[in-house]
Amino acid sequence: MFGTHFYNSSTRRAVSVFGSLFNDLEVVKTDSAGKVLQKIKVPLSYSPRQKILARSKNLTDPKMAIKLPRLAFEITDMTYDGQARVNKMKKFTKAKSGDDTVWKSVHAPAVYKLGFELNIMTKAQDDALQLLEQILPTFQPDYTVTITDIPDMGIKSDVPIVLNGVTINDDFMGDFLTNRTIVYTLTFEMRVKYYTGMSEAEKILYVDAYYKDTDSSENIEKQTTDGTTTPYTETIDFFNEP
């Protein structure tokens, strides 16, 4: 059952789409008069926040420390979505490119809810609030994106990305040797459809129907049906038949 290899890159595609929402955020530094002094495009990476924070507090060699602000996200959990379950016998089909006599097909997908965690890490509270306010208005509480689930089949889905909550961690109570780090953690939920591998089958071009004599079991008529055959539509009124 599991011997046939296939890979639709469903999780990889979901991670790419999720990350693309936050890869163009900026922090603006201004003076007391409101004049813009610096614009910082905040780096984004797929990694746990613990690694980013550990490297940002590299006291042995400050030159090697990661500079903040920074964004990091990761998948936190995967849960089967039973409410989105569809009939297993349902199929999606499409004619093979360059050969109309062959059909490609995939079965109905299994839907899973992916939990994502986005961490905003800064040294200044104002930097964190700037990033947070660039994100929150978009999610009320969801933002819908269109994902191409199976490019070869042209199957697309409108997927809502739901913002579930925001938590704050500020370690400003540390000693003088500890760098202050402010972390805003945003939790999201996204549904991903996992399809089976594609299978191919030849198109049925015509069907031969044989009519047999019930007594002798001999063929008395043969009817061939194809895409151009006009079906037999005569209606007999048995009650008024002469």
Side-chain angles (χ1 to χ4, degrees):
M1 178 179 178
F2 297 104
T4 303
H5 174 268
F6 66 91
Y7 179 49
N8 296 321
S9 302
S10 302
T11 305
R12 183 185 182 92
R13 191 174 294 111
V15 170
S16 177
V17 170
F18 182 84
S20 66
L21 298 178
F22 311 103
N23 64 353
D24 201 24
L25 299 179
E26 291 182 338
V27 168
V28 177
K29 302 287 188 179
T30 60
D31 58 16
S32 58
K35 181 181 178 181
V36 176
L37 301 177
Q38 185 183 15
K39 286 186 177 181
I40 304 172
K41 185 174 181 179
V42 182
L44 173 72
S45 61
Y46 183 88
S47 62
R49 69 178 182 182
Q50 291 82 0
K51 286 190 175 182
I52 302 296
L53 294 177
R55 293 187 61 186
S56 69
K57 298 178 181 180
N58 189 343
L59 300 179
T60 58
D61 189 357
K63 293 182 180 180
M64 298 298 294
I66 289 180
K67 305 298 182 182
L68 300 181
R70 198 174 183 94
L71 298 171
F73 72 100
E74 62 177 329
I75 295 176
T76 56
D77 61 87
M78 299 175 67
T79 308
Y80 179 70
D81 187 2
Q83 295 182 348
R85 182 179 179 181
V86 297
N87 192 331
K88 292 182 179 180
M89 301 304 295
K90 182 178 180 180
K91 280 188 176 183
F92 298 87
T93 59
K94 183 181 180 181
K96 185 177 181 180
S97 178
D99 188 356
D100 292 339
T101 64
V102 177
W103 287 88
K104 299 185 296 183
S105 64
V106 293
H107 286 278
V111 183
Y112 278 76
K113 294 184 287 187
L114 266 63
F116 282 90
E117 184 178 273
L118 174 68
N119 292 286
I120 301 172
M121 293 164 284
T122 66
K123 290 184 177 181
Q125 186 70 258
D126 187 68
D127 293 349
L129 294 177
Q130 285 189 48
L131 294 171
L132 188 66
E133 291 192 17
Q134 292 178 67
I135 296 173
L136 293 183
T138 303
F139 298 90
Q140 301 185 17
D142 60 82
Y143 177 74
T144 301
V145 296
T146 301
I147 296 179
T148 303
D149 297 317
I150 308 292
D152 291 343
M153 298 283 294
I155 300 175
K156 297 183 179 181
S157 300
D158 291 331
V159 180
I161 301 175
V162 183
L163 174 60
N164 291 325
V166 182
T167 58
I168 306 170
N169 182 24
D170 186 353
D171 58 358
F172 66 93
M173 295 298 292
D175 55 41
F176 290 105
L177 296 178
T178 303
N179 293 327
R180 180 189 184 186
T181 304
I182 301 168
V183 181
Y184 281 75
T185 301
L186 290 73
T187 55
F188 296 86
E189 183 180 272
M190 179 180 184
R191 284 172 171 78
V192 178
K193 296 180 179 179
Y194 291 94
Y195 289 84
T196 59
M198 283 187 293
S199 59
E200 295 184 357
E202 293 186 357
K203 184 190 299 185
I204 299 175
L205 301 178
Y206 61 88
V207 175
D208 290 336
Y210 293 89
Y211 298 90
K212 294 181 177 291
D213 186 291
T214 55
D215 296 327
S216 63
S217 297
E218 295 181 355
N219 294 332
I220 58 176
E221 185 181 352
K222 173 185 175 182
Q223 183 179 7
T224 300
T225 304
D226 57 23
T228 61
T229 302
T230 302
Y232 183 74
T233 58
E234 181 181 357
T235 302
I236 300 177
D237 189 345
F238 292 96
F239 296 99
N240 298 319
E241 184 179 5

